[in-house]
Amino acid sequence: MLNDVVDDGVIIERVAAIDVGKAEIVVCARVPSPTGRRSRAQEVRKFATMTAALIACSDWLTQLQVTRVVMEATSDYWKPVFYLLEAAGFETWLVNAKDVKHLPGRPKTDTLDAVWLCKVAERQMLRPSFVPPEPIRKLRDLTRYRVDLINERSREKNRVEKLLEDAGIKLSVVASDIFGVSGRAMLAALVDGERDPKVLAGLARTRMRTKIPALQEAFVGRFSEHHAFLLGKMLARIDAIDADLADLDAQIDALISPFGEAVDRLDTIPGVGATAARAIIAEIGVDMDRFPTAAHLTSWAKFAPGVNQSAGKTKGNGSTGHGNPYLARALGEAALAASKTDTFLGERYRRIARRRGTKKALVAVGRSILVIVWHLLKDPDAVFVDLGPDYYTNRVGTQRAVRNHIRGLNALGYSVTLSPAA
């Protein structure tokens, strides 16, 4: 049976496409022909990427009465072009380069790329990528830089661990965190020239004092002035990163204040703390109109299994693909925290982990968290209510047990008819 498919065939009358480079952009504009025929008029121009040249490009497009401007996401070079045209009032689309593929054997130049992109765009064969509004973009810059600083601090701490191993100092064998209060005091003493294991072990505080004999053995090594010089530089770098992180947190708090209610609502989800909530909002925003359903959001975030089917057979392992790494990090950490709770999400993680492994369980719980986030942001009146760890036992578990019993009796040759008990 044939089904009707909506295909209005509407062509964007005045459209432009930009092939973005670091030093130069190639702009192709297609508008109705001045002859009045059904043909199209096309013009290609090149502009430098300096701001003055981009303003000239904007003026030219304004003269042509272009309504939509499309460009590919080329590294970070698209940002100054996109932001300037967006501020000028154009309907600016950023598209994925994978959606704009050339035909095999087709010549490839910057000019031909711009023309091809413009032709595809005018026929509405593209979909725009998600570019958040400016307040969210500013917040995103801060939260992403915060993640980068945390990664850099972790690398510097690993360097300290390697340096101590080189000097034969086994502090990490005794102390679970060598950068705690006791550990930092001992490391600072090493930098200042203290080498006596008893004196160094005596700097232990609170519960670490029970490990003083083991600490004395750990500090017997070949720590030299060379190691002290390097350790001092590494500790200073760690302290500087900590100071930068404190400044970043203060700035993030200032920018997140208009979305404070959204942060508080996401904070009610098990595993999602204030830091994770801020990171999630920075990546997806608070306006869920961009994602019609929760499935659209999980698909965009690559937290939904992909489909690859051919000749009636499903191929591949259902991989989700590569999405936003910063959002994936926040959801992964939230899922890991939720897995340790006595909640529905925690039980969901444990059930899937037993059958399919911890990695798939983390992705599944991350997807569940993202679905909850969508509903909380979509409906201001929505409130998160935990289904409880016994949800599967009370709902799914009972039905599964009934099916298993019926199947077993059928295998023995019995016909089973169920009726509810009084």
Side-chain angles (χ1 to χ4, degrees), residues 130 136 139 256 258-269 272 276-294 297 300 327 331 368-384:
F130 171 61
I136 298 297
L139 180 62
I256 201 69
F259 315 109
E261 182 180 355
V263 173
D264 293 338
R265 300 177 72 197
L266 298 190
D267 196 11
T268 61
I269 305 174
V272 179
R278 295 185 304 183
I280 292 173
I281 289 176
E283 297 303 328
I284 68 174
V286 294
D287 183 11
M288 291 296 102
D289 291 339
R290 181 63 181 80
F291 305 100
T293 65
L297 176 58
W300 171 82
L327 178 60
L331 291 175
S368 298
I369 292 175
L370 199 56
V371 170
I372 297 171
V373 168
W374 183 89
H375 284 284
L376 291 178
L377 295 180
K378 182 69 174 179
D379 183 4
D381 298 327
V383 178
F384 173 75

Side-chain angles (χ1 to χ4, degrees), residues 12 51 57 281 324 397:
I12 304 298
T51 302
C57 173
I281 289 176
N324 185 322

Side-chain angles (χ1 to χ4, degrees), residues 323-402:
N324 185 322
Y326 294 94
L327 178 60
R329 176 192 175 105
L331 291 175
E333 292 177 351
L336 184 61
S339 68
K340 303 174 183 178
T341 62
D342 191 24
T343 61
F344 167 77
L345 292 176
E347 182 60 23
R348 175 170 172 77
Y349 170 84
R350 290 184 285 272
R351 284 172 58 89
I352 298 176
R354 285 193 296 266
R355 295 182 289 112
R356 309 197 64 186
T358 57
K359 292 183 178 180
K360 292 185 182 296
L362 284 176
V363 174
V365 174
R367 181 187 183 279
S368 298
I369 292 175
L370 199 56
V371 170
I372 297 171
V373 168
W374 183 89
H375 284 284
L376 291 178
L377 295 180
K378 182 69 174 179
D379 183 4
D381 298 327
V383 178
F384 173 75
V385 178
D386 183 32
L387 296 176
D390 56 350
Y391 174 80
Y392 288 105
T393 303
N394 295 338
R395 301 290 181 88
V396 182
T398 302
Q399 298 174 5
R400 180 177 296 174
V402 170

